[in-house]
Amino acid sequence: MAIGVALTVLVVGLMFASGLSRGKTAKRKYIVWGTTIILIIAPSFSWAVSILFAISQEEGFAGVALMMLLFPFFFLVGIVTLLIGVFKKESTNRSI
């Protein structure tokens, strides 16, 4: 049941981010996806994968260790994506 809730949050968050970034500039897409990775994807995906791994190995500490590896990795990916969006310059086509 709990894994279903985490996966539902993940899918709804991905659909929401996809809707927010559709038809926007590249800068806005980076910002939206960076925020989504940090707030939705990193916690729910790392938790679901870690719980499934812990159940398969029948060892809770293995799940906690995997979560301690996955969450910071995805969080850093989200930070980098967000910073790319914040510091990206808008491309302007000025034809004279």
Side-chain angles (χ1 to χ4, degrees), residues 18-25 29:
S18 176
L20 277 179
S21 65
R22 184 167 296 152
K24 304 293 182 189
T25 63
K29 286 181 183 183

Side-chain angles (χ1 to χ4, degrees), residues 22-53:
R22 184 167 296 152
K24 304 293 182 189
T25 63
K27 179 177 177 134
R28 172 73 182 246
K29 286 181 183 183
Y30 279 121
I31 292 172
V32 167
W33 281 104
T35 307
T36 303
I37 291 170
I38 292 170
L39 296 177
I40 297 172
I41 295 173
S44 60
F45 182 74
S46 65
W47 186 82
V49 169
S50 299
I51 292 299
L52 289 173
F53 182 73

Side-chain angles (χ1 to χ4, degrees), residues 39-90:
L39 296 177
I40 297 172
I41 295 173
S44 60
F45 182 74
S46 65
W47 186 82
V49 169
S50 299
I51 292 299
L52 289 173
F53 182 73
I55 290 171
S56 71
Q57 295 297 313
E58 297 177 357
E59 181 64 41
F61 288 112
V64 172
L66 184 61
M67 191 181 310
M68 289 173 60
L69 293 173
L70 286 178
F71 182 75
F73 173 73
F74 285 116
F75 192 83
L76 288 175
V77 168
I79 290 285
V80 168
T81 307
L82 181 64
L83 289 175
I84 288 172
V86 168
F87 293 114
K88 184 176 178 70
K89 298 208 187 246
E90 292 290 332

